[in-house]
Amino acid sequence: MESIPPLPEPAMSSQDKLPIIYVRGFAGDTSGINKAVTDPFYGFNEGSTHVRVGPGEKPTFHQFESPLLRLHLDEGYHILVEGGQESYLDTHPEIPPDSIWVHRFYDASATSWGAKPREFRLEDAATDLLRLIEKIKAKSGAPRVHLVAHSMGGLVCRCLLQKVLPDRGTDPAEHVDKLFTYGTPHGGISFDVGFGVLERLRDTFGIQGGDIFGPRRMYAYLTPDAERRGDEPPDDWDARAIPQGPGRFPVRRVFCLVGTNPADYEVALGMSSAVVGARSDGLVQIDKAAVPGSHGAFVHRSHSGRYGLVNSEEGYQNLRRFLFGDLRIEAELTGHRLPADPEVSWQAEVLLAIRGLPVVVHERQAAHWCPLALPKAAAEGADAPPVPLATTFLRTDLPRPAGSPTMRYALHVRILSLRSNRRILSFGDHLEQTADFADSLVVDVGSGAAPGIWATWNSLIPGTIKDHEPQGSPLTDEDPAAGRWVAHVPFPETTRPLLGEQARLRLSATPWR
């Protein structure tokens, strides 16, 4: 029997877990900073009661306790406060490694404490974050920490990883194990209106400190001193990128959660999403919200508010599995040869559902402005380049339905064609909301006494998915290398005129944690 790579021991003790540090987003001017510092956990203790599912597409009640409380309840993490978390650290010689901390970098810039406030600089927030990490490591005995950041907080973390630590000659991986970002503007913030005038005004005058989202300031705080080539970023510089190589933070240890719902940011905060456009979470544009090469997921949530990313079940489930998962499963479309009609373009829609969760953990749809564009082959008779569809992280230690030896998830795949004539969409033979291919791959991952991976298309399953049990031997491992398992799942025969004879969905499994 072919088996998946050896997994860590399922049960995680407190010594296996690393401290988690939360880093909040942009507060704006002094009044916004003063408001932020009144919250004991900078907003990460906020939950929600609304979710956009239910009869008639009306919001329904779903109580999400908050990411801090859920990590305490689900993972046993300690939230330690005695007059202040900094005070707790200063007065206790030891702390448990499975503990949660909030980087309160805005406190020094608030006027409500009576002292002269310090002007906020992102580089100072990153340097202060390093001091907090060093103190937590020393008192917990943990080798590294996890960083979890919302919005601008992700840029504070990247400043630490890409500039502060390299300037000191320190490998950032010695301090940080994983970085998870919610709605971080990794590529800055730009606008769909004003023809660039709004960005130039913001970056020239630093209105409310917003120039930190412009290329000039981003280049300054994301680039080590030894690599700076003047004040202006070079033409080939990409703010989203984390350079790789010796002494660099591995991009595969980064997860970017991307929001695709701009409307609810406007409803929640009284701000218009029109200035950044529909392809956004209401503040950060979709194509600027992820680090190239990182892990990630798209969810139909807004930047913040009652339908926000941070206080969402979708965000928490992705965070929990990325930090504590045992197994990384990746899915790619390979070997496909779409019909070579120059007037037709192709898109894929993907949803990822994990058994036992009330939400999908990854969702890319045309209606949310984020379908996957399917490239065509470079030459006649050649396969198109592989297309990554989704990555998920599974937990062997989480409860499963009684009698089920496997972890299960489903990958929903829809492939759609768009016909155009001189770049104008043609609807002569169009059927709205109708895909040329639509099916779900049901994947079962076994462990313990029943290792292996089984995969079956939903269209081939008789009856309900709930009653489906994997049959026969698991898929054969096609990769001879140790520590990685790979198999290719053929598409249903009916797709051959569409996708070609060799189209496959490639599944890859590697240990994680």
Side-chain angles (χ1 to χ4, degrees):
M1 176 182 289
E2 299 290 342
S3 64
I4 57 179
L7 301 179
E9 290 295 323
M12 292 184 70
S13 70
S14 62
Q15 295 302 317
D16 295 323
K17 297 175 182 176
L18 298 176
I20 296 173
I21 300 177
Y22 275 87
V23 188
R24 71 154 287 142
F26 186 59
D29 59 9
T30 300
S31 63
I33 292 173
N34 287 342
K35 182 179 179 181
V37 303
T38 63
D39 191 312
F41 293 103
Y42 270 18
F44 292 111
N45 53 317
E46 293 182 3
S48 62
T49 57
H50 287 62
V51 64
R52 283 225 181 271
V53 296
E57 298 182 351
K58 294 181 179 179
T60 190
F61 182 85
H62 176 81
Q63 187 169 345
F64 175 72
E65 302 95 314
S66 82
L68 264 65
L69 186 54
R70 285 292 290 274
L71 286 171
H72 170 67
L73 295 173
D74 293 342
E75 302 294 337
Y77 265 74
H78 301 270
I79 304 172
L80 304 171
V81 182
E82 284 183 8
Q85 288 202 303
E86 284 281 358
S87 298
Y88 191 99
L89 283 172
D90 290 339
T91 56
H92 289 72
E94 295 183 3
I95 60 172
D98 49 345
S99 52
I100 297 174
W101 306 89
V102 176
H103 179 31
R104 296 186 60 90
F105 60 86
Y106 267 134
D107 287 8
S109 302
T111 61
S112 57
W113 306 121
K116 182 179 179 180
R118 182 180 73 181
E119 180 183 0
F120 171 74
R121 291 185 71 253
L122 191 139
E123 292 92 328
D124 293 337
T127 302
D128 291 343
L129 176 58
L130 175 58
R131 296 193 190 100
L132 178 61
I133 291 172
E134 290 174 334
K135 187 180 294 186
I136 290 172
K137 286 177 57 181
K139 303 223 170 187
S140 68
R144 292 171 300 281
V145 303
H146 296 311
L147 297 179
V148 179
H150 176 226
S151 193
M152 180 201 72
L155 300 179
V156 173
C157 295
R158 285 185 56 197
C159 177
L160 169 70
L161 299 173
Q162 292 178 233
K163 177 176 173 58
V164 173
L165 287 169
D167 279 348
R168 300 181 181 210
T170 302
D171 187 337
E174 294 179 8
H175 288 287
V176 178
D177 191 76
K178 295 172 187 169
L179 168 63
F180 184 101
T181 67
Y182 297 93
T184 289
H186 291 288
I189 294 178
S190 57
F191 309 113
D192 267 9
V193 297
F195 303 100
V197 174
L198 294 179
E199 291 93 331
R200 288 195 292 273
L201 288 172
R202 176 199 64 193
D203 298 347
T204 299
F205 297 103
I207 300 172
Q208 294 188 359
D211 57 323
I212 61 173
F213 303 117
R216 182 185 175 97
R217 278 289 288 127
M218 293 186 75
Y219 180 63
Y221 64 71
L222 293 177
T223 309
D225 290 342
E227 299 176 16
R228 288 277 299 276
R229 291 180 277 172
D231 293 332
E232 298 295 334
D235 293 338
D236 60 350
W237 185 73
D238 184 356
R240 302 172 305 156
I242 297 180
Q244 296 297 279
R248 308 282 192 169
F249 190 73
V251 73
R252 299 292 277 179
R253 310 300 290 182
V254 178
F255 190 108
C256 301
L257 192 70
V258 180
T260 64
N261 182 357
D264 280 329
Y265 187 64
E266 177 180 357
V267 170
L269 300 180
M271 297 180 65
S272 174
S273 62
V275 293
V276 294
R279 296 190 68 254
S280 72
D281 63 8
L283 182 64
V284 179
Q285 293 170 330
I286 290 173
D287 59 356
K288 296 180 182 293
V291 172
S294 66
H295 295 300
F298 290 66
V299 296
H300 196 53
R301 289 283 185 163
S302 61
H303 190 75
S304 60
R306 68 172 63 97
Y307 301 107
L309 288 163
V310 179
N311 54 331
S312 70
E313 192 77 44
E314 295 95 328
Y316 172 71
Q317 295 298 343
N318 275 292
L319 170 67
R320 187 184 186 192
R321 283 159 175 77
F322 177 67
L323 294 187
F324 311 121
D326 301 313
L327 191 67
R328 178 179 63 196
I329 306 282
E330 298 170 283
E332 292 181 290
L333 173 64
T334 66
H336 55 290
R337 297 182 182 180
L338 294 162
D341 187 335
E343 295 186 350
V344 175
S345 57
W346 297 89
Q347 294 177 340
E349 296 184 332
V350 178
L351 283 81
L352 182 64
I354 298 177
R355 182 168 57 185
L357 299 187
V359 294
V360 293
V361 296
H362 177 60
E363 185 176 13
R364 300 194 66 169
Q365 296 196 63
H368 301 164
W369 298 84
C370 58
L372 283 158
L374 297 182
K376 297 179 182 179
E380 185 69 27
D383 296 339
V387 178
L389 299 179
T391 299
T392 189
F393 301 89
L394 300 179
R395 293 276 300 268
T396 62
D397 59 334
L398 294 182
R400 305 173 195 172
S404 176
T406 68
M407 300 171 284
R408 173 174 290 176
Y409 72 91
L411 185 68
H412 304 257
V413 181
R414 286 163 46 91
I415 296 178
L416 306 96
S417 57
L418 298 173
R419 182 173 294 276
S420 61
N421 184 6
R422 297 179 182 179
R423 297 187 178 182
I424 299 175
L425 288 177
S426 174
F427 297 101
D429 57 359
H430 178 74
L431 289 171
E432 180 63 15
Q433 299 293 322
T434 305
D436 295 285
F437 169 77
D439 210 337
S440 302
L441 188 70
V442 179
V443 181
D444 284 273
V445 182
S447 61
I453 297 180
W454 294 259
T456 307
W457 291 103
N458 185 28
S459 58
L460 304 178
I461 295 176
T464 66
I465 297 177
K466 176 180 71 69
D467 296 327
H468 168 67
E469 292 296 337
Q471 301 296 319
S473 300
L475 298 171
T476 300
D477 183 7
E478 302 171 22
D479 190 339
R484 188 167 186 259
W485 178 100
V486 176
H488 291 77
V489 181
F491 279 80
E493 290 188 12
T494 53
T495 66
R496 289 180 180 176
L498 173 66
L499 296 175
E501 297 286 334
Q502 301 302 317
R504 299 288 188 271
L505 202 154
R506 179 162 62 206
L507 298 176
S508 304
T510 50
W512 185 252
R513 188 182 295 172

